[in-house]
DNA sequence: ACCTGAACACCGTTCAAGT
DNA sequence: ACCTGAACACCGTTCAAGT
């Protein structure tokens, strides 16, 4: 058959299809992506180095939704809070991709650039040079930990026989009322942790001055 | 060849070998486990349902190191802090297994039992029924987020060309001095977040009374 | 440059056949 | 009950051959 007049594939379409498969079945394979695009598996390698590169494309797509402008203006505590919320919301929009993205290091320039901005903001507002990375890391842990919870809120807790953990079962039931299964609890937990952390940083900064 | 006089395999040895492979190469496969134990791949299925079951065995092994006794005595804030530290330390002892365990739901009874204890402790000390699960989830997010950071502290930040993110590069360099590459920063971030969270919960409890 | 067709090594899982 | 041997469907990756 040879080369078509206009390319059948490109990184965009590969990424979109992989995300589709992730949403539908929680995972994806290159043969599946190829089949859905009406192409042979090997063809994918003409547009992408390997499977890991597809994962990075997905990360870039997901993280593109993070609003880093918040890091450029306003009071630092509000800026950092808004950034963390936006960061988490980006993952929340693609919960089925969280498991895939969580275990590989951050290489996406888009994301690294935002960390650069965060460092600049915190340095400018008076945090000690040796302390800045600790604060940012803690904030990142908070966001990623919450994102993990978001990945599969309903199935994250699999109680075998409720007789062994009655209090846990009841607490889960109470926490789950209102919105979706575990979504409300997950949101509340993130809000609580984020507020606690930012407040603590604020206190720290003031007593240091 | 048929059945040997004394079994060549058992769940313990399978788990140990899988952990060995994880430590050495960051992943494991059933054929690899079988080869190392001098056995055919299919034999493994006589002792374990499938690969997912091996992962659960690994989780149980890793989580067995968590000290839940801390949840039974002393002031609640110290108890919760000690539990979180022990929880994270268990993962820190097997950082190569973190990626594997992080994305599958908690089914291990050992772990669920500890959450049960935590619920009981917090209820007993005055936290509202609707609030307990939020607090515990936030604490769990904190531990897991930090464990994720622990999984590959050195490679978690892959700066492409340092010219684009100079402040981040410098902040990382400063934060890394002292102990190992990223270990010190990771520890400091966890300490900071944990202290912030427990303090916040303490305030919340007191103002509610 | 980009697709096909075919190959390779590897994986998880199943199962009849032996003892 | 527990191991072998062999099979199956699937995976990621490579590459010559075509246009």
């Amino acid at each position: 058959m040879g080369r078509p007049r206009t390319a059948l594939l490109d990184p965009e379409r590969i990424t979109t299809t992989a995300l589709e498969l992730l949403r539908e079945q929680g995972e994806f394979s290159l043969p599946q992506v190829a089949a859905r695009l009406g192409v042979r598996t090997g063809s994918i390698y003409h547009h992408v180095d390997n499977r890991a590169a597809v994962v990075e494309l997905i990360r870039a797509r997901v993280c593109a939704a993070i609003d880093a402008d918040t890091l450029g203006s306003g009071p630092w505590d509000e800026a950092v809070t808004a950034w963390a919320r936006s960061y988490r919301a980006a993952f929340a929009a693609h919960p089925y991709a969280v498991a895939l993205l969580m275990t590989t290091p951050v290489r996406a320039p888009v994301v690294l650039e935002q960390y650069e901005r965060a460092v600049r903001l915190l340095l400018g507002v008076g945090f000690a040079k040796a302390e800045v990375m600790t604060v940012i890391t803690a904030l990142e842990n908070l966001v990623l930990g919450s994102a993990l919870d978001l990945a599969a809120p309903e199935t994250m807790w699999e109680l075998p026989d409720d007789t062994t953990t009655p209090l846990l079962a009841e607490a889960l039931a109470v926490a789950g009322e209102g919105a979706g299964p575990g979504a409300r609890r997950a949101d509340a937990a993130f809000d609580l942790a984020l507020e606690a952390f930012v407040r603590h940083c604020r206190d720290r900064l003031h007593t240091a001055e």
Side-chain angles (χ1 to χ4, degrees), chain A residues 10-197:
Chain A
D10 62 81
E12 299 304 313
R13 268 177 286 200
I14 291 170
T15 308
T16 302
T17 308
L19 267 170
E20 270 174 30
L21 287 163
L22 279 169
R23 172 160 31 84
E24 294 170 18
Q25 58 186 32
E27 50 190 11
F28 83 98
S29 75
L30 298 187
Q32 286 171 345
V33 170
R36 194 161 284 206
L37 290 171
V39 113
R40 302 295 235 156
T41 305
S43 307
I44 291 183
Y45 287 84
H46 286 111
H47 300 86
V48 130
D49 277 351
N50 47 35
R51 200 197 123 102
V54 178
V55 173
E56 284 318 298
L57 284 172
I58 293 174
R59 189 197 306 282
R61 176 80 66 87
V62 170
C63 291
I66 307 176
D67 181 14
D69 290 346
T70 57
L71 287 173
S73 62
W76 71 270
D77 50 352
E78 291 179 19
V80 160
T81 299
W83 181 53
R85 284 192 189 289
S86 173
Y87 199 158
R88 178 172 178 269
F91 283 116
H94 302 274
Y96 39 85
V98 168
L100 191 68
L101 302 179
M102 220 42 94
T103 54
T104 39
V106 174
R107 292 171 224 260
V110 207
V111 185
L112 290 179
E113 196 184 318
Q114 302 191 1
Y115 282 92
E116 174 76 4
R117 287 179 138 206
V119 173
R120 188 182 309 125
L121 174 66
L122 294 181
L123 282 178
V125 90
F127 279 93
K129 205 184 268 188
E131 198 178 30
V132 169
M133 217 50 220
T134 303
V135 170
I136 292 183
T137 299
L139 199 63
E140 182 196 45
N141 291 350
L142 207 146
V143 168
L144 297 188
S146 301
L148 217 43
D149 189 27
L150 223 36
E154 321 90 46
T155 61
M156 204 63 197
W157 302 85
E158 301 233 340
L159 305 189
D161 41 351
D162 291 352
T163 50
T164 58
T165 55
L167 295 174
L168 177 57
E170 194 186 343
L172 272 171
V174 174
E177 67 189 14
R184 216 166 96 89
R185 170 181 54 81
D187 286 347
F190 177 67
D191 288 343
L192 182 63
L194 183 59
E195 190 193 340
F197 183 69

